[in-house]
Every structure is written in structure tokens, then in C-alpha cells.
Amino acid sequence: MYSPSLVANSGGSSNNDNRLFVYEVVGLAKNGNTDNLNYPVRQGGSVFITVPYGRMNQEMRRLTRMGAKIVSIKPLNGEIPLQMTASQPTQQATKETEKGKSMTQAKAKAKGDIPVNIYRPNSPFIGKCVENYPLVGEGGSGIVQHLTFDLSGGDLHYVEGQSIGIIPPGTDDKGKPHKLRLYSIASTRHGDKKDDKTVSLCVRQLEYEHPETKETVYGVCSTYLCHLEVGADVAITGPVGKEMLLPEDEDANIIMLATGTGIAPFRAFLWRMFKEQHEDYKFKGLAWLIFGVPYSANILYKEDLEEIEKTYPDNFRLTYAISREQKNAEGGRMYIQHRVGEYAEELWKLMQNPKTHTYMCGLKGMEDGIDQALGAMAAQNGADWSEFQKQMKKEHRWHVETY
Ligand code: FAD
């Protein structure tokens, strides 16, 4: 079972070990739960608890279990607060509040307003897992989960196309705290509960055969997340990323090329375009998703995608490349680049429109095949693909996030 290792993971400096920290805690006194705490001092409703560095995680978990909220952590005799509580925003978030900006997620508009690094690795936000369900149907390959984290009590906000970092608990083989892993956000800025208080991810458990020992190896963070229990705490950083943002232009055309969990940012896009209602954003362009998966049971969010296709046939086009079930023109497996090749003429024409943005997300290996397919079409039209691609990048309408 997971036990978060938040503070020990965030410190980094070994001389922290002898230090004492003071937790300012609210929500304990009214429960009459203070009797068994170390050094409780009441002041204006808060309880102050001195905790040795080595017991910080344990104490934090204990307090959370008791329904208490840690509002600040400061070294005992030190001046610099250790920013790591769910309710304590980092300097950037504080600055935004000071400027009178609303902290709702709907606010970020111009690129300059895009929230980044509100929570950093040395002071992660502690969210709670409220949902973790499988996305792969029977007969599909691997484990892919949809996870939702509650962000209440903090200032973590984001926009579609960004990522968050997750710090898995524990240490690596060198005894160092695990580093964060990035995951594309799969929900809109309003979250799956539409209350601006959650963030969702779509995570595949990494599993591979060790090239020498032939043993099955499972990825640290993806395994942790895929098996995370509802109710468990999770250390979150970010948000980060400005590469995959959705243009505000309601008439834009959005080509989305996804493999596997690369669907995550596009789920956020499509939910914003079609599933949510906004006063200031009513999508009127064409959104075209070309989605590569191994089996039909691996089509993540299949029902939702097909429902959108049915409801908005003029604005949403859905194309699958199912490698183990469909054949390409040469009789081989149908990968995403084959579908892109099949539709290259239409895609090429669409890309000539300055309102068209093309996004690619998923496995790193997908880029070359897609370049080749579109390169051939560019050549047929007397153009050089890499030059055209450069031009699209310059115009901020070619967006790639592969991993
Ligand atoms: P680790 O324990 O870190 O293991 C990874 C390491 O295993 C690799 O570095 C490599 O050394 C080794 N390895 C991996 N495969 C093999 C192999 N076949 N043979 C030999 N060695 C191998 N993932 C998602 O599931 N969903 C997302 O939405 C998502 N979004 C991302 C967005 C961005 C911007 C980035 C950069 C990555 C994203 N990822 C996403 C990937 C994610 O960050 C992690 O890399 C992934 O979950 C694996 O982390 P892990 O801790 O489980 O694996």
C-alpha cells in the first residue's frame, strides 16, 4: 500500500536531518484531538507542533487522518518557511493573488497568463486521489488508468494542454528521493467535476522486459499511480508546459495526432470544445483526431469520443489506426502514420489554412513516420516538408509533445 514520502523527498539537503520544524495546524482543537500531540501551543485557533525532520511525513499523515489541515511549516529558529503544504501557495501564486487576479482556472487567457510552476518539487501540492479507474477493455494490452485528484485547499490551476509533475514516494536505487515524472493533464481547466477543483490524468503502467536479465520491470511512478488507492495523498508539482495550448480562436481547425496516452491533452481539448458550455468559447472549427492504438479495447475514452462524433458530425472527425486489428495498404499493421498517409492530401490542404493547428502527442517513435507521410504529400505539391513545418512552428501552429 502507498505511503507518501513527501517531506523527506522534498528536502534534498542531508543536513536537514537534525533540524526541527514547526507545523501550524488548524482543525484539531475543535475535535478535541490535541492531547496526544507533541508541544501543542494554541494561538488564535492554530496549534503549533514541533516535529523532527525525520518524522515529518509520519506526522503529516497522522494529522491528515485526524482531519487537521497544516497551514504552514517553518524551521524552528529559521526564517525561511518550508513551502510544502496543500494550503500554502508558492510565491508566484501569492503574487497573482496580490495583484487582485482571480485564482479561478478560467482566468488564464493570453500566453503570458498561463500558470506555470505554482508548486515546485521542494514544495509540492498534496492532492487526494478521488478516482482511479481502468480505461483498457477486455482483450486490450497493458494497464491504463484515468485518475482524478482533488485540489481543494491549494492554488493549483492550469489550462488545457499543460502537464503536472507527480513525485512518487520513496527513494531510488541510490537512496535519493524519486524525481518527479510529468503527465499530460487530461481534464479541462474546470476539471472533471466542473468545479475548478480537480485535475485528471491518463496513465499507462510502464512494463518492459529487462534487456539482460529478461525480468519484467515496472515503471516506478506509473505503477504507483495506476495502483493508487482512492483517498490516498499524492505529491503534485506544476503545472508546466506552453507547447500544447489550445488556441482561443473559436474558428481554428485542430488536427490531433495521438498514440496511446497521448490522447490525454486531446481529451481536455475535446471536452472544452464539445462537452462543456462556455460563455467565451464556442468552438466552430473542425477538430480531427487520428488515434493510434494496438487493439480496439485500447481505444481510451472510446464511448465519449464516439458520442462527440455522433453529436457534432460537422465539427468533429474521428479516425482510428488499430495496429493489431487493421491492415495498411501494403497488408502490414495499421499504424498512425499509415492513416496520416491515407489522408495526407486532406491534411495537407487543411494545414495550408493559417487557422489550422496540428498537435502530436504520445510515443516518441510516432514523429518520423508522420514526417515521412506528410513529407511525401508536400513533395507532390512542390513543397519542402521541413521548411513548411518550420514555418508552422514559427506561426505557433505545429505542436509536439512526445515521450
Ligand atoms: P521509470 O521507473 O522512470 O522507468 C523509465 C525508465 O525505464 C526509462 O528511462 C528507461 O531507462 C527504462 N525503460 C523504459 N522502457 C524500456 C524498455 N522497453 N527497455 C529497456 N528500458 C526501458 N505517461 C503517461 O502514462 N501518460 C501521460 O499523459 C504522460 N504524459 C507525459 C508528458 C510529458 C511532457 C512527458 C515528458 C512524459 C509523459 N509521460 C506520460 C511519461 C511519464 O512521464 C513517465 O515517463 C512514465 O510514466 C514512466 O515513468 P515511470 O516512473 O513509471 O518509469
Side-chain angles (χ1 to χ4, degrees), residues 324-340:
R324 309 285 175 116
E325 295 174 12
Q326 298 173 331
K327 295 255 175 286
N328 64 33
E330 286 85 47
R333 285 181 180 167
M334 174 63 84
Y335 290 111
I336 189 163
Q337 62 266 30
H338 299 118
R339 283 284 182 234
V340 170

Side-chain angles (χ1 to χ4, degrees), residues 143-145 161-164 166 168 178-186 200-211 217-226 240-241 244 260-265 361-362 364 400-403:
I143 294 178
V144 183
Q145 297 287 120
Q162 291 196 288
S163 300
I164 51 169
I166 300 290
H178 282 303
K179 294 208 164 66
L180 69 85
R181 270 68 162 177
L182 290 176
Y183 293 92
S184 308
I185 295 171
S200 297
L201 303 179
C202 167
V203 179
R204 184 180 82 87
Q205 183 181 25
L206 173 66
E207 180 184 342
Y208 64 90
E209 188 185 86
H210 192 282
V217 182
Y218 297 97
V220 172
C221 193
S222 57
T223 299
Y224 154 71
L225 286 173
C226 285
V240 295
M244 296 287 285
T261 53
I263 191 71
C361 190
K364 231 182 188 72
V400 178
E401 193 155 270
T402 53
Y403 42 86

Side-chain angles (χ1 to χ4, degrees), residues 73-105:
I73 298 180
K74 291 180 181 160
L76 185 68
N77 303 324
E79 284 169 12
I80 308 158
L82 184 71
Q83 295 171 335
M84 56 80 61
T85 68
S87 54
Q88 188 178 8
T90 57
Q91 286 168 354
Q92 182 179 335
T94 313
K95 258 191 232 155
E96 286 186 16
T97 315
E98 278 165 6
K99 273 191 256 162
K101 282 188 186 168
S102 156
M103 296 308 287
T104 65
Q105 296 170 16

Side-chain angles (χ1 to χ4, degrees), residues 223-289:
T223 299
Y224 154 71
L225 286 173
C226 285
H227 297 94
L228 194 62
E229 285 177 21
V230 167
D233 286 345
V234 60
I236 305 172
T237 66
V240 295
K242 293 186 179 179
E243 172 61 27
M244 296 287 285
L245 304 179
L246 184 63
E248 282 184 60
D249 183 2
E250 299 170 334
D251 294 314
N253 300 308
I254 309 293
I255 299 171
M256 295 164 277
L257 309 173
T259 53
T261 53
I263 191 71
F266 305 142
R267 179 184 185 269
F269 288 7
L270 293 169
W271 264 232
R272 179 155 173 80
M273 290 167 177
F274 301 111
K275 287 208 159 221
E276 292 177 357
Q277 301 302 319
H278 308 102
E279 278 303 307
D280 57 348
Y281 181 78
K282 301 199 188 302
F283 181 69
K284 300 182 197 83
L286 172 72
W288 186 356
L289 171 66

